[in-house]
Amino acid sequence: MATVAPPCPSWTRGSVPLSQRITRRCFETATPTRFTTHGALVQAPPPSPSPSSDKDRRSIQVLTLSRANDLQAEARAMTRAANATVYDPQLIASLYSSQPVKVVRRTLQILVALGSFGMKLLLDQRNGVLDRNRRLRASELKEIFTKLGPTFVKLGQGLSTRPDICPPEYLEELSELQDGLPTFPDEEAFACIERELGLSLESIFSSISSSPIAAASLGQVYKAQLKYSGKLVAVKVQRPGIEEAIGLDFYLIRGLGFFINKYVDIITTDVVALIDEFARRVFQELNYVQEGQNARRFKKLYADKEDICVPDVFWDYTSAKVLTMDWVEGVKLNEQEAIERQGLKVLDLVNTGIQCSLRQLLEYGYFHADPHPGNLLATPEGKLAFLDFGMMSETPEEARSAIIGHVVHLVNRDYEAMARDYYALDFLSPDVDVSPIVPALRDFFDDALNYTVSELNFKTLVDGLGNVLYQFPFNVPAYYALILRSLTVLEGLALYADPNFKVLAASYPYFAKRLLTDPNPYLRDALIELLFQDRRFRWGRLENLLVQGRLDRDFSAKEALQPVLKVLLSPDGEELRILVIKEAVRVTEAFTLSTISDTYKSAPDFVRVLVSNGNANVPIITSETEMEDMTELRDQVFRIWGLLQSSNDFDPDLLLPILQVLQQPEARRLGERVMGGITQRLAARFLQQVLRVPNTPST
């Protein structure tokens, strides 16, 4: 939760000496039964699969009790947050419609700030310098949002993820929007803690920092030490009056949204629906119990990796407006020098962040929606710590596979399929004609794909795609915009350390692994589409996928290609079986002829003279190019087999599905056709060799 780098020496000196003010009442309030729960949860050893001793049984009992106590503590926290404010536009409208003075005062404040900005835009348009001044105006808007307070800071951060609404210059400037708000008095924060938890500070903490360690738009963070366990914790306290301020702002912004929907044709997105969605997310951030539950869920899904750190929640000291979590000592991910002084590498941490972000987006679909540098810390142990779980989002299950399929279509330059993907991704409604979008995609990506994957800059790709989205009636879902922002932030951090770093190159092993191993029907079809072109198998693509997939730490050779093999076994796999049989004929011919050619070339001259009818320089009748292609095909197959064999978990049993296919009745018939095809081709080659016919056999 905290965002400072080194330990703060002034914390000890400036902390409140709570230990000197402990009373008998405090001890009675903080009962041992209540406060041993979290310590047991953290320190209890994992249970053994089978409790073979009294020690194992006691360990299981301790862990079971800890979990039960932790659930009870969470339930108590939820009870404390039962009256937390939720976003209800009708209720907010009824509340502020009866407070005209407050509404008018805030309206004038907003209108003066945004009105002057709007006038500058109109003058730019009238003078023909709108595009030239776009960067300047974007920077000015960022400053205006900062001055208008928490709601507009959040709004600006939200707009920075919407390429369907904002031009690229605005996206870039607003993405740098920081929480530049003053802190609120410590006395109010400490009073809030006691009021929310029903406990005195002395009964909870042995010490607490006398001033905030970090501050944001919605609250500020203190560093403290728990009295019952001595653990260091981060205590986030909500800003006083924030609910009313945000509620009033969204009431006014929503009214503006109705105006935009009705009169501004250039924006095709339903602005009111967008505002409501964003307001719901912001109000969810105001419920710190919900944030604690978000953190727990995130920890359960992603902290199983040894290089990911997620702080745990102390439920007994958490309510709607107070959140207490493990203190994480670390350095912000954008502080390269401080990270390197600890013997760590920024690029290693960024790669960890990329892999975790891809898992968030494409596996479980639950992801951190606010991954700015202040929420990502490098710990002294080399782990990447995620902080601040107030704003989370989810990727629909169908969209997870559609995104990977979209990458396949991009690699294949199948822009018609890419355009159709936007239906599955919920970018476009089904009644929108995608044919005008295809040329725009082709114009941009044909140029971008002239670079290799390792050369292509993710930000350039996103900016270019953003231009396409901005020109057409796209409605970019929040999950997609947020994950693009996440990867862009990570690439930006990496570029400080290495100007040549490319996030796409770092992501490619994950995509390759998923395509090779995931049984999802959509991804299975995408893999087949990637591997076959013009009804011919692309061995080079398979080899590249295996090379890249093996770079992913979760790659399993046992699972590689199993999705395709299962299709071969299925009743619907007849078309694929025909393609595989045809390819089997081609590969067998390549193996046979290239081996004969190699043997012929290594034989003594007198043997070659006898075999070739007196011409020792004439091998099998094929063109030089054709023989090179056959040799390369054979070598590729050998390399692919070598890649599989060299994997740590290689198992020859992975070939059993192929044998099972050949044992099925329809496969036997196709097998006979394979043998027939191979026999015909080799017989034709033999006759050519004997008769010296100078042309290759027909297929």
Side-chain angles (χ1 to χ4, degrees):
M1 269 188 67
T3 56
V4 293
C8 181
S10 62
W11 174 74
T12 303
R13 295 194 299 270
S15 58
V16 179
L18 299 176
S19 59
Q20 300 176 10
R21 295 185 287 154
I22 298 176
T23 64
R24 178 177 177 82
R25 177 185 60 79
C26 298
F27 280 109
E28 291 173 349
T29 304
T31 60
T33 302
R34 178 173 187 177
F35 291 146
T36 55
T37 57
H38 188 88
L41 175 71
V42 174
Q43 298 171 9
S48 303
S50 56
S52 56
S53 66
D54 291 341
K55 183 178 180 181
D56 292 335
R57 283 191 291 271
R58 284 195 298 270
S59 297
I60 293 177
Q61 290 172 356
V62 169
L63 183 61
T64 302
L65 179 62
S66 299
R67 288 175 176 170
N69 288 339
D70 192 63
L71 288 174
Q72 292 174 6
E74 182 179 357
R76 291 193 293 269
M78 292 175 65
T79 301
R80 287 192 289 271
N83 295 323
T85 304
V86 295
Y87 178 67
D88 185 336
Q90 284 72 37
L91 183 62
I92 290 176
S94 64
L95 174 65
Y96 287 106
S97 60
S98 61
Q99 302 182 46
V101 175
K102 184 178 291 187
V103 170
V104 170
R105 185 186 304 119
R106 181 59 173 166
T107 300
L108 290 175
Q109 185 181 2
I110 295 172
L111 285 178
V112 169
L114 295 181
S116 61
F117 177 77
M119 289 299 298
K120 290 179 180 179
L121 291 181
L122 289 175
L123 290 174
D124 286 347
Q125 185 175 28
R126 179 173 297 179
N127 297 329
V129 294
L130 187 62
D131 292 339
R132 189 172 67 192
N133 287 349
R134 188 173 284 174
R135 174 73 62 181
L136 174 63
R137 299 300 175 228
S139 179
E140 291 176 352
L141 184 61
K142 178 181 67 176
E143 296 301 322
I144 290 172
F145 280 172
T146 300
K147 292 177 181 178
L148 285 175
T151 308
F152 285 87
V153 168
K154 289 292 181 183
L155 180 62
Q157 291 172 344
L159 286 174
S160 71
T161 68
R162 304 298 306 197
D164 54 334
I165 296 178
C166 296
E169 292 84 357
Y170 283 81
L171 295 177
E172 188 169 337
E173 287 293 329
L174 294 178
S175 68
E176 299 175 359
L177 194 62
Q178 300 296 321
D179 298 322
L181 299 173
T183 61
F184 58 91
D186 300 304
E187 292 74 14
E188 293 186 27
F190 297 153
C192 177
I193 295 174
E194 294 186 329
R195 183 173 60 252
E196 286 288 309
L197 302 182
L199 301 168
S200 64
L201 287 182
E202 294 91 340
S203 66
I204 305 173
F205 310 116
S206 57
S207 60
I208 187 169
S209 58
S210 58
S211 59
I213 300 297
S217 55
L218 303 184
Q220 56 197 36
V221 178
Y222 294 84
K223 184 177 182 180
Q225 186 174 39
L226 289 179
K227 182 177 180 57
Y228 83 94
S229 67
K231 287 185 68 70
L232 292 179
V233 293
V235 186
K236 183 159 73 170
V237 186
Q238 195 170 111
R239 189 176 291 274
I242 191 69
E243 296 170 340
E244 293 78 5
I246 288 179
L248 175 57
D249 284 344
F250 276 118
Y251 169 69
L252 298 175
I253 294 170
R254 197 169 189 266
L256 179 62
F258 281 111
F259 178 85
I260 293 174
N261 278 350
K262 187 173 183 179
Y263 297 108
V264 182
D265 296 333
I266 191 173
I267 298 179
T268 57
T269 302
D270 184 346
V271 177
V272 172
L274 184 63
I275 291 170
D276 285 342
E277 176 189 357
F278 184 72
R280 275 190 291 271
R281 292 182 184 277
V282 173
F283 270 82
Q284 285 176 2
E285 286 192 73
L286 296 178
N287 183 352
Y288 286 174
V289 170
Q290 179 64 55
E291 180 175 346
Q293 291 174 328
N294 293 343
R296 275 288 178 89
R297 182 180 176 188
F298 190 89
K299 184 181 183 72
K300 181 179 179 181
L301 291 176
Y302 307 115
D304 59 320
K305 300 301 180 185
E306 60 183 15
D307 45 14
I308 296 293
C309 173
V310 180
D312 208 354
V313 183
F314 293 80
W315 291 115
D316 276 316
Y317 312 120
T318 294
S319 70
K321 297 183 179 182
V322 176
L323 175 61
T324 304
M325 300 182 74
D326 285 321
W327 176 266
V328 178
E329 201 68 69
V331 182
K332 291 181 182 179
L333 210 58
N334 59 350
E335 297 178 2
Q336 181 182 346
E337 293 183 1
I339 290 175
E340 291 177 349
R341 281 198 300 269
Q342 297 186 26
L344 305 176
K345 295 181 179 179
V346 173
L347 292 184
D348 291 342
L349 293 160
V350 169
N351 271 313
T352 297
I354 290 171
Q355 299 306 315
C356 188
S357 295
L358 291 171
R359 289 181 68 204
Q360 291 174 49
L361 171 65
L362 300 174
E363 287 186 30
Y364 300 107
Y366 184 71
F367 65 92
H368 196 296
D370 192 20
H372 64 74
N375 289 338
L376 299 171
L377 296 187
T379 71
E381 300 79 20
K383 293 185 178 184
L384 178 66
F386 283 82
L387 308 176
D388 194 347
F389 302 91
M391 186 173 287
M392 309 295 288
S393 189
E394 297 195 50
T395 310
E397 186 174 358
E398 61 276 9
R400 300 175 210 166
S401 300
I403 290 171
I404 298 180
H406 196 60
V407 173
V408 171
H409 295 147
L410 173 62
V411 172
N412 286 343
R413 303 194 186 210
D414 187 347
Y415 302 120
E416 289 79 7
M418 281 184 68
R420 292 192 298 271
D421 287 338
Y422 295 129
Y423 295 136
L425 291 169
D426 202 25
F427 278 32
L428 296 170
S429 60
D431 58 336
V432 175
D433 180 18
V434 297
S435 56
I437 301 171
V438 174
L441 292 173
R442 180 178 292 109
D443 290 343
F444 172 69
F445 284 110
D446 270 349
D447 181 55
L449 293 179
N450 286 331
Y451 300 96
T452 65
V453 173
S454 61
E455 295 173 335
L456 192 57
N457 184 290
F458 184 77
K459 184 180 183 304
T460 302
L461 194 63
V462 171
D463 288 346
L465 183 60
N467 281 325
V468 175
L469 299 180
Y470 186 65
Q471 295 171 19
F472 294 96
F474 282 94
N475 181 25
V476 179
Y479 71 84
Y480 188 83
L482 289 169
I483 203 67
L484 287 183
R485 178 192 177 197
S486 174
L487 294 175
T488 303
V489 167
L490 289 169
E491 183 176 61
L493 292 170
L495 290 176
Y496 283 111
D498 180 6
N500 297 317
F501 180 87
K502 300 294 182 291
V503 72
L504 283 179
S507 305
Y508 195 61
Y510 175 87
F511 282 97
K513 183 261 296 185
R514 285 292 301 275
L515 281 172
L516 287 168
T517 61
D518 199 309
N520 180 283
Y522 191 100
L523 298 185
R524 179 198 64 201
D525 294 343
L527 175 60
I528 293 171
E529 181 181 343
L530 186 67
L531 294 179
F532 285 91
Q533 184 178 43
D534 299 330
R535 303 183 67 82
R536 174 165 286 195
F537 192 82
R538 294 189 281 189
W539 292 93
R541 279 279 172 84
L542 176 57
E543 181 182 3
N544 187 41
L545 284 175
L546 286 171
V547 169
Q548 293 294 328
R550 280 159 49 93
L551 299 177
D552 187 277
R553 67 180 61 184
D554 296 326
F555 176 79
S556 172
K558 291 180 180 179
E559 299 175 0
L561 296 180
Q562 289 296 326
V564 175
L565 296 177
K566 289 178 181 178
V567 175
L568 286 172
L569 289 168
S570 70
D572 300 328
E574 183 175 355
E575 182 178 354
L576 179 61
R577 283 194 289 271
I578 292 173
L579 293 175
V580 169
I581 294 301
K582 182 178 179 181
E583 191 62 27
V585 172
R586 190 169 77 94
V587 171
T588 303
E589 181 188 37
F591 265 80
T592 303
L593 295 186
S594 59
T595 301
I596 291 174
S597 176
D598 290 346
T599 304
Y600 179 88
K601 292 177 181 179
S602 62
D605 290 345
F606 74 91
V607 175
R608 284 188 287 168
V609 170
L610 290 175
V611 172
S612 60
N613 241 352
N615 187 353
N617 295 320
V618 179
I620 300 170
I621 297 295
T622 58
S623 69
E624 184 178 347
T625 301
E626 185 181 14
M627 183 55 68
E628 289 176 354
D629 291 343
M630 288 185 179
T631 303
E632 172 59 23
L633 175 57
R634 180 197 63 182
D635 294 344
Q636 274 187 332
V637 174
F638 275 132
R639 288 196 300 269
I640 289 168
W641 178 244
L643 287 170
L644 291 172
Q645 278 187 309
S646 62
S647 298
N648 293 331
D649 63 344
F650 173 75
D651 186 348
D653 289 344
L654 67 86
L655 298 178
L656 287 179
I658 298 178
L659 300 178
Q660 293 173 342
V661 170
L662 296 177
Q663 292 173 3
Q664 294 183 1
E666 64 272 20
R668 289 198 193 104
R669 289 192 292 270
L670 290 174
E672 293 171 0
R673 291 171 57 187
V674 171
M675 296 305 298
I678 293 173
T679 302
Q680 289 177 10
R681 293 180 71 92
L682 293 180
R685 294 285 187 186
F686 178 75
L687 288 174
Q688 286 180 3
Q689 184 69 20
V690 172
L691 302 175
R692 294 291 190 268
V693 179
N695 60 309
T696 59
S698 62
T699 57

